[in-house]
């Protein structure tokens, strides 16, 4: 079965939509106070429900104890955003339940007892939420910690209420190059939406990638969160299109030169660092989006941004590599990839 990121041609601005639901069970202590036997019991119960998820979605579900995975495997899952770094570092029993298309991942014993994550390609927040809600209905029989006044109870007060974090992953080279990303973040912040770079250090980012998500989870419905975020993201997309047109009108030759230089480095450089690889692929995607370079539209350059990161690159190579070896192998990998374009 194809993974979610392989199902359609990559969109120019909206890479993906994601919904996360934070849930806790009433019968267990919250994270931080859980005993080892509670962690083990909860992980076993959620993993045991994989068959129920398969019945609802008509696809295979896999489960594992995250603690038993190698450090490389955990780092790879983290690079794909299937699990969080927090879950990867946990010492008590943790678990992962993952759908065959990797569109659904359920983390057990992370910050909360259960984190349901649903991802869909492009601007399909409603589709992502529908899948998350389907899984949520099955897990609800375990007995959620819920209050009639405050809604779903979570470890962090910031998630109380719906327990939902919805987000779009956006590709914003135009806004970034125009030096307007902080201004944009400040503006949308007034409407309960935050903009964070990837991997998440404020608005600093690599590859012009940003996650745009809701701040508020209490005092609003899931539908209201989705609608507000959809409208704000639509405004951001319009801003990005405007700045792309502005930049092309003023510096088309300079941008085109940078795009082809990026292709040349990716095609022939013998050593490429992670940061350089992400930047060069982002420049190439920008050029393809603008129609400046003929790169196969069926190839997901975002997917390649994930594949060239340290853990995933070592999985492709099939062995552990030090930094220098990774940079050389990354160069070889990207050289071959560009040769096929």
């Amino acid at each position: 079965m194809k993974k979610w990121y392989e199902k359609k041609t990559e969109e120019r601005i909206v890479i993906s939509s994601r919904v996360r639901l934070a849930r806790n069970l009433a019968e267990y202590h919250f994270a931080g106070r859980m005993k080892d036997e509670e962690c083990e019991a909860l992980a076993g119960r959620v993993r045991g429900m994989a068959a129920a998820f398969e019945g609802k979605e008509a696809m295979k579900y896999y489960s594992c104890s995250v603690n038993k995975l190698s450090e490389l495997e955990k780092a790879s899952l983290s690079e794909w955003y299937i699990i969080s770094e927090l879950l990867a570092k946990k010492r008590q029993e943790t678990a992962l339940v993952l759908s065959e298309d990797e569109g659904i991942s359920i983390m057990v014993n992370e910050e909360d007892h259960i984190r349901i994550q649903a991802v869909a390609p492009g601007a399909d927040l409603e589709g992502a939420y529908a899948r998350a809600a389907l899984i949520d209905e099955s897990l609800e029989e375990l007995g959620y910690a819920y209050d009639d006044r405050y809604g779903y109870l979570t470890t962090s007060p910031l998630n109380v209420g719906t327990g939902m974090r919805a987000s779009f992953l956006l590709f914003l080279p135009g806004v970034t190059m125009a030096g307007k990303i902080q201004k944009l973040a400040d503006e949308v912040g007034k409407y309960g939406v935050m903009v964070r770079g990837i991997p998440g250090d404020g608005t600093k980012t690599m590859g012009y990638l940003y996650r745009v998500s809701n701040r508020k989870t209490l005092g609003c419905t899931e539908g209201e969160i989705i609608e507000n975020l959809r409208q704000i993201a639509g405004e951001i997309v319009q801003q990005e299109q405007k700045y792309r047109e502005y930049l092309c009108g003023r510096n088309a030759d300079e941008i085109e030169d940078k795009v082809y230089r990026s292709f040349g480095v990716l095609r022939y450089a013998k050593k490429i660092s992670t940061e350089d690889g992400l930047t060069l692929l982002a420049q190439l995607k920008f050029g393809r989006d603008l129609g400046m370079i003929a790169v196969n539209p069926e190839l997901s350059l975002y997917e390649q941004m994930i594949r060239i990161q340290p853990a995933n690159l070592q999985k492709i190579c099939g062995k552990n590599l030090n930094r220098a070896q990774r940079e050389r192998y990354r160069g070889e990998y990207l050289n071959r990839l560009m040769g096929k374009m």
Side-chain angles (χ1 to χ4, degrees), residues 57 59-62 97-104 131:
E57 288 225 300
M59 72 172 66
K60 292 289 293 181
Y61 268 77
Y62 306 96
V97 181
L98 182 66
S99 66
E100 189 174 6
D101 70 344
E102 298 182 4
I104 291 284
R131 287 193 73 182

Side-chain angles (χ1 to χ4, degrees), residues 240-292:
E240 173 63 19
Q241 291 169 335
K242 182 185 76 172
Y243 283 116
R244 289 187 184 194
E245 292 172 4
Y246 170 77
L247 290 169
C248 285
R250 294 192 60 182
N251 305 305
D253 289 343
E254 182 180 332
I255 293 172
E256 187 176 29
D257 180 67
K258 189 177 291 186
V259 168
Y260 276 87
R261 285 176 182 271
S262 296
F263 176 80
V265 174
L266 290 167
R267 179 68 180 93
Y268 296 108
K270 297 304 179 185
K271 294 175 65 177
I272 300 177
S273 68
T274 303
E275 185 173 354
D276 285 347
L278 291 172
T279 300
L280 294 166
L281 284 171
Q283 293 283 6
L284 194 62
K285 174 172 166 49
F286 189 36
R288 183 176 69 181
D289 291 351
L290 297 174
M292 290 181 171

Side-chain angles (χ1 to χ4, degrees), residues 135-153:
I135 302 302
D136 191 35
E137 289 175 5
S138 294
L139 289 168
E140 193 170 17
E141 68 183 50
L142 298 179
Y144 286 152
Y146 185 86
D147 182 85
D148 290 337
R149 181 179 180 184
Y150 296 109
Y152 294 102
L153 302 180

Side-chain angles (χ1 to χ4, degrees), residues 15-16 20 30 38 46 74 76 86 88 133 152 160 224 227 233 270 282-283 297 309 333 338-339:
I15 302 296
S16 64
R20 281 183 170 180
F30 276 33
E38 288 182 298
V46 177
K74 286 189 282 189
S76 171
L86 175 61
Y152 294 102
V160 168
E224 289 169 341
E227 179 59 24
K270 297 304 179 185
Q283 293 283 6
Q309 293 185 37
Y333 174 81
M338 295 301 111

Side-chain angles (χ1 to χ4, degrees), residues 21-310:
L21 301 178
R23 300 289 187 258
N24 288 281
L25 303 190
E27 66 179 279
Y28 297 114
H29 290 98
F30 276 33
R33 297 187 61 194
M34 288 184 77
K35 299 176 181 178
D36 290 346
E37 53 266 30
E38 288 182 298
C39 293
E40 293 169 5
L42 178 57
R45 291 176 71 182
V46 177
R47 288 183 62 185
M49 297 188 69
F53 306 147
E54 290 179 357
K56 287 201 169 188
E57 288 225 300
M59 72 172 66
K60 292 289 293 181
Y61 268 77
Y62 306 96
S63 68
C64 67
S65 171
V66 177
N67 307 72
K68 292 183 173 62
L69 299 177
S70 68
E71 292 303 314
L72 181 64
E73 191 67 44
K74 286 189 282 189
S76 171
L77 290 169
S78 181
E79 288 174 358
W80 279 110
Y81 304 106
I82 289 172
I83 67 172
S84 65
E85 291 186 7
L86 175 61
L87 189 77
K89 294 175 181 177
K90 278 290 195 78
R91 295 306 174 199
Q92 289 181 298
E93 181 69 17
T94 55
L96 169 68
V97 181
L98 182 66
S99 66
E100 189 174 6
D101 70 344
E102 298 182 4
I104 291 284
S105 61
I106 305 165
M107 293 181 282
V108 186
N109 292 328
E110 193 228 28
E111 180 180 330
D112 293 285
H113 292 157
I114 298 170
R115 284 284 178 95
I116 304 166
Q117 173 177 282
V119 186
D124 187 18
L125 206 54
E126 292 84 355
Y129 175 66
R131 287 193 73 182
L134 201 65
I135 302 302
D136 191 35
E137 289 175 5
S138 294
L139 289 168
E140 193 170 17
E141 68 183 50
L142 298 179
Y144 286 152
Y146 185 86
D147 182 85
D148 290 337
R149 181 179 180 184
Y150 296 109
Y152 294 102
L153 302 180
T154 56
T155 301
S156 170
L158 296 176
N159 294 324
V160 168
T162 60
M164 185 171 93
R165 293 287 177 185
S167 66
F168 290 107
L169 181 63
L170 303 182
F171 180 64
L172 303 176
V175 176
T176 306
M177 290 180 183
K180 302 295 185 180
I181 194 68
Q182 188 59 57
K183 180 182 178 182
L184 177 67
D186 292 340
E187 287 177 354
V188 301
K190 300 173 185 176
Y191 300 96
V193 172
M194 58 183 171
V195 177
R196 296 187 67 83
I198 299 297
D201 183 17
T203 54
K204 294 180 181 179
T205 192
M206 291 189 290
Y208 307 128
L209 294 171
Y210 298 88
R211 192 164 294 284
V212 180
S213 61
N214 64 298
R215 288 182 182 274
K216 190 177 179 182
T217 62
L218 180 64
C220 50
T221 67
E222 291 86 351
E224 289 169 341
I225 290 172
I226 289 172
E227 179 59 24
N228 182 58
L229 189 60
R230 188 179 63 79
Q231 290 186 12
I232 297 297
E235 294 292 331
I236 295 174
V237 168
Q238 289 183 20
Q239 289 286 309
E240 173 63 19
Q241 291 169 335
K242 182 185 76 172
Y243 283 116
R244 289 187 184 194
E245 292 172 4
Y246 170 77
L247 290 169
C248 285
R250 294 192 60 182
N251 305 305
D253 289 343
E254 182 180 332
I255 293 172
E256 187 176 29
D257 180 67
K258 189 177 291 186
V259 168
Y260 276 87
R261 285 176 182 271
S262 296
F263 176 80
V265 174
L266 290 167
R267 179 68 180 93
Y268 296 108
K270 297 304 179 185
K271 294 175 65 177
I272 300 177
S273 68
T274 303
E275 185 173 354
D276 285 347
L278 291 172
T279 300
L280 294 166
L281 284 171
Q283 293 283 6
L284 194 62
K285 174 172 166 49
F286 189 36
R288 183 176 69 181
D289 291 351
L290 297 174
M292 290 181 171
I293 189 168
V295 176
N296 183 357
E298 298 299 321
L299 177 70
S300 170
L301 292 174
Y302 167 70
E303 178 185 344
Q304 297 306 320
M305 289 182 189
I306 304 298
R307 292 197 182 280
I308 66 166
Q309 293 185 37

